[in-house]
C-alpha cells in the first residue's frame, strides 16, 4: 500500500496531475473550464428546443446532407447492385428511416460536435443497427495520458460502463488544451442565443401583463373612487380603437396627462433579435435565406447563397458523414468493410462540373496529385493513387 502511494505521488508530480485519482471525468472537466458554471451541454439542447433559429439551422443541415441517399461501391469502385448484402448494410444505417437517422445524428453532431454509436446486436452477436446515444448521457474517463479508458452511459434508470471498443466515438474538432474534449459550436454565440430566449419571455410578459400603460391620468384628489373609475371608463370609451386616436380631450377633472413610452433599450428589441439570428446563421454556416428570412433577397443573391450553403456547409458535412459510416463498418462489421464502401450520392451543381474538369486537367498535367484533387472535392485520400 505504501509503495503504491509512492508511485501515485511520483506520477502526479511528474505529469502535473492535481487529483487523488488517475481517472478524470472529462464531462465535468469541460464545465470547470468555463467562466460561467451554469452553462453546460444541457444549455445547448435547451437552445435547440426553444430557439427557432438554432433548431431550423440544424434541421436544414440534416435534410440537405445526403439528400439523394447513399450507395455502395466495391473494391474496384463499381456501384454494387441491390442484393442481400446491400440490404443488410442499408438497414444498419437507415432503420427506422434514413431521414430520422440523419436528424438524430446531426442534432447531436451540431450541438455537441461529438457522436456516440452503440451497436444493437442480434442473437449471432452481429450488429443489426446503431443506436445514436444522446451526448448528455455519456461521459468519458481517461488516464493521465488522455487515453480513453471507458465510456459511462447514464440514464434515469441505470448506469452502464462500456469499453472503448464497444462504442464508436467521433468528434468534429478537438478542444483547445487536450485531444479528448470537444469544441461546442455555440460557444461563439451562447450569450446572444440565451439573451434571445430572455427577450422572448420579456416580450410575452409585456403583452400579457400590459404592465406599461400608454398614459397616466392625474386626477383631482377630491374625487371619490367611483368618480375616478367613471373618469377612466369615459376616457377609454372616447379614445379606444385606432379610429379614435389623436382626438382632443377637454375635461375639468383631469389636471395633467403624462405619456409613457418605450425606453430606447426596449425599442432595440427587434434589432437585437436580428443580430442574434445573424450570429447563429454564421456559426452554423447556414444563410438566413435558408432559414426563411427573405429581407433584401432576390433571385440572384438567393441562388448564390444556396450554392454557397451546398458547397461550403453541406459538402464537408457529407464527407464527414461518409467517413463516419465507413468507420462504423470497419469497427463493427470488418467482414463487410473488406468488400465494400459506403458513398454519399452528392447533388451536382453546374459550377461543380466545370470545377471537376479543371481538376482533371490539373491532374493530367501533373499540377496536382490525385489525392490533392480528391481532398479539394471533400473526398478522402487513397493509398493507391494509380
Amino acid at each position: 500500500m505504501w509503495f503504491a502511494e509512492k508511485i501515485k505521488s511520483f506520477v502526479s508530480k511528474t505529469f502535473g496531475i492535481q487529483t487523488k485519482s488517475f481517472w478524470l471525468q472529462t464531462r465535468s472537466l469541460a464545465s470547470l473550464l468555463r467562466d460561467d458554471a451554469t452553462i453546460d451541454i444541457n444549455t445547448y439542447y435547451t437552445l435547440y428546443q426553444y430557439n427557432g433559429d438554432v433548431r431550423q439551422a440544424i434541421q436544414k443541415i440534416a435534410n440537405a446532407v445526403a439528400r439523394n441517399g447513399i450507395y455502395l461501391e466495391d473494391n474496384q469502385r463499381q456501384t454494387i447492385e441491390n442484393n442481400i448484402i446491400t440490404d443488410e448494410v442499408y438497414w444498419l444505417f437507415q432503420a427506422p428511416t434514413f431521414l430520422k437517422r440523419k436528424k438524430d445524428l446531426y442534432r447531436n453532431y451540431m450541438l455537441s460536435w461529438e457522436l456516440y454509436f452503440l451497436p444493437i446486436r442480434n442473437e449471432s452477436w452481429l450488429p443489426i443497427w446503431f443506436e445514436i446515444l444522446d451526448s448528455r448521457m455519456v461521459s468519458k474517463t481517461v488516464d493521465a495520458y488522455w487515453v480513453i479508458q471507458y465510456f459511462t452511459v447514464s440514464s434515469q434508470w441505470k448506469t452502464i460502463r462500456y469499453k472503448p471498443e464497444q462504442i464508436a466515438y467521433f468528434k468534429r474538432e478537438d478542444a483547445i488544451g487536450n485531444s479528448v474534449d470537444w469544441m461546442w459550436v455555440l460557444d461563439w454565440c451562447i450569450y446572444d442565443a440565451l439573451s434571445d430566449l430572455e427577450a422572448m419571455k420579456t416580450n410575452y410578459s409585456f403583452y400579457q401583463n400590459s404592465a406599461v400603460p400608454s398614459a397616466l391620468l392625474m386626477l383631482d384628489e377630491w374625487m371619490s373612487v367611483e368618480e375616478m373609475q367613471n373618469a377612466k371608463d369615459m376616457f377609454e370609451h372616447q379614445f379606444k380603437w385606432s379610429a379614435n386616436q389623436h382626438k382632443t380631450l377637454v375635461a375639468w377633472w383631469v389636471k395633467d396627462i403624462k405619456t409613457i413610452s418605450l425606453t430606447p433599450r426596449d425599442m432595440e428589441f427587434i434589432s437585437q433579435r436580428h443580430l442574434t439570428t445573424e450570429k447563429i446563421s454564421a456559426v452554423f454556416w447556414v444563410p438566413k435565406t435558408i432559414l426563411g428570412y427573405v429581407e433584401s433577397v432576390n433571385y440572384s443573391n438567393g441562388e448564390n447563397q444556396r450554392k454557397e450553403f451546398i458547397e461550403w456547409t453541406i459538402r464537408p458535412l457529407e464527407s464527414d458523414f461518409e467517413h463516419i459510416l465507413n468507420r462504423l463498418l470497419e469497427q463493427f462489421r470488418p467482414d463487410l468493410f473488406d468488400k465494400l464502401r459506403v458513398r454519399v450520392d452528392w447533388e451536382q451543381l453546374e459550377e461543380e462540373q466545370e470545377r471537376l474538369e479543371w481538376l482533371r486537367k490539373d491532374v493530367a498535367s501533373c499540377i496536382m496529385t490525385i489525392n490533392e484533387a480528391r481532398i479539394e472535392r471533400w473526398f478522402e485520400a487513397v493509398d493507391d493513387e494509380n
Side-chain angles (χ1 to χ4, degrees):
M1 184 68 181
W2 174 83
F3 183 68
E5 290 296 329
K6 282 289 187 182
I7 294 177
K8 290 174 65 176
S9 176
F10 170 75
V11 174
S12 298
K13 292 179 180 178
T14 304
F15 297 101
I17 304 173
Q18 304 298 325
T19 179
K20 296 180 180 179
S21 173
F22 287 106
W23 313 115
L24 296 176
Q25 289 287 346
T26 59
R27 178 71 69 197
S28 58
L29 180 64
S31 300
L32 292 176
L33 295 177
R34 299 188 166 279
D35 294 332
D36 189 351
T38 61
I39 296 177
D40 57 13
I41 192 170
N42 294 294
T43 307
Y44 298 89
Y45 283 83
T46 301
L47 288 177
Y48 174 80
Q49 183 176 359
Y50 294 109
N51 188 288
D53 294 331
V54 173
R55 191 183 186 93
Q56 278 297 311
I58 294 176
Q59 290 188 349
K60 295 292 185 182
I61 289 174
N63 291 337
V65 171
R67 187 176 68 173
N68 295 335
I70 58 177
Y71 63 95
L72 304 179
E73 286 184 351
D74 57 21
N75 294 331
Q76 283 72 41
R77 299 178 185 173
Q78 300 296 320
T79 303
I80 301 176
E81 301 298 332
N82 292 337
N83 53 39
I84 297 178
I85 295 180
T86 58
D87 291 343
E88 184 178 1
V89 174
Y90 289 146
W91 180 255
L92 275 174
F93 303 128
Q94 298 184 1
T97 65
F98 189 48
L99 181 59
K100 185 181 186 308
R101 301 296 287 172
K102 289 195 302 176
K103 287 184 176 180
D104 292 343
L105 187 150
Y106 280 100
R107 183 181 63 248
N108 288 282
Y109 198 39
M110 301 306 296
L111 288 175
S112 64
W113 276 27
E114 61 176 359
L115 286 172
Y116 299 91
F117 290 89
L118 178 65
I120 306 301
R121 302 177 184 272
N122 59 14
E123 295 178 354
S124 303
W125 202 243
L126 288 176
I128 54 177
W129 63 286
F130 295 101
E131 180 182 356
I132 301 173
L133 300 177
D134 192 320
S135 298
R136 293 171 291 181
M137 299 167 51
V138 186
S139 63
K140 304 182 294 291
T141 302
V142 302
D143 61 12
Y145 299 96
W146 294 101
V147 177
I148 297 177
Q149 300 299 308
Y150 55 83
F151 297 97
T152 303
V153 181
S154 303
S155 65
Q156 185 178 358
W157 300 277
K158 59 182 177 180
T159 298
I160 305 176
R161 180 178 295 182
Y162 294 95
K163 296 179 180 179
E165 61 271 15
Q166 293 179 296
I167 286 183
Y169 171 58
F170 303 91
K171 63 178 181 295
R172 191 173 179 189
E173 184 177 343
D174 291 342
I176 298 175
N178 66 78
S179 60
V180 177
D181 287 332
W182 59 98
M183 295 283 289
W184 283 331
V185 62
L186 282 171
D187 274 354
W188 305 309
C189 66
I190 180 63
Y191 289 105
D192 297 278
L194 290 175
S195 298
D196 191 62
L197 288 183
E198 293 301 320
M200 287 192 293
K201 296 177 184 178
T202 302
N203 192 43
Y204 174 74
S205 299
F206 178 83
Y207 288 104
Q208 181 192 41
N209 300 329
S210 299
V212 182
S214 59
L216 179 63
L217 300 181
M218 306 297 294
L219 303 179
D220 281 329
E221 59 274 8
W222 52 265
M223 296 179 65
S224 65
V225 175
E226 183 179 358
E227 289 175 332
M228 290 183 179
Q229 183 63 42
N230 292 336
K232 175 180 175 295
D233 294 340
M234 186 175 66
F235 188 87
E236 290 181 348
H237 175 74
Q238 186 171 351
F239 292 96
K240 194 174 183 179
W241 308 114
S242 57
N244 294 323
Q245 289 185 5
H246 307 293
K247 286 186 175 180
T248 304
L249 171 67
V250 178
W252 56 267
W253 37 266
V254 176
K255 293 197 304 184
D256 190 13
I257 298 179
K258 294 185 178 180
T259 303
I260 301 177
S261 60
L262 295 175
T263 64
R265 183 180 64 85
D266 293 332
M267 290 187 288
E268 290 293 324
F269 173 77
I270 297 179
S271 299
Q272 177 63 33
R273 299 202 67 182
H274 278 304
L275 178 62
T276 302
T277 297
E278 291 175 357
K279 284 192 174 184
I280 293 174
S281 176
V283 162
F284 287 105
W285 287 28
V286 179
K288 290 199 301 181
T289 55
I290 304 296
L291 296 179
Y293 297 96
V294 294
E295 299 91 344
S296 305
V297 176
N298 52 45
Y299 176 79
S300 178
N301 58 28
E303 181 66 16
N304 288 334
Q305 289 184 30
R306 186 188 75 87
K307 292 177 181 178
E308 289 285 322
F309 172 64
I310 292 176
E311 182 171 1
W312 299 111
T313 304
I314 300 305
R315 285 291 180 268
L317 289 175
E318 286 182 330
S319 180
D320 286 349
F321 187 59
E322 193 174 279
H323 168 78
I324 289 170
L325 298 184
N326 283 298
R327 294 291 77 78
L328 286 173
L329 278 183
E330 182 181 21
Q331 181 173 347
F332 297 108
R333 292 299 304 268
D335 56 321
L336 295 177
F337 184 74
D338 293 337
K339 303 174 184 178
L340 52 86
R341 296 292 185 273
V342 182
R343 301 300 180 203
V344 173
D345 190 2
W346 288 12
E347 177 187 359
Q348 294 292 330
L349 299 175
E350 295 180 3
E351 291 80 0
E352 288 187 331
Q353 295 291 345
E354 298 179 2
R355 185 179 173 193
L356 182 58
E357 290 299 324
W358 295 339
L359 292 175
R360 286 173 178 165
K361 293 178 181 179
D362 289 343
V363 171
S365 304
C366 298
I367 297 176
M368 63 169 51
T369 66
I370 293 178
N371 275 338
E372 289 174 340
R374 288 180 63 84
I375 294 174
E376 184 71 20
R377 294 200 63 213
W378 306 106
F379 287 130
E380 291 184 358
V382 295
D383 297 330
D384 184 13
E385 294 194 63
N386 297 322

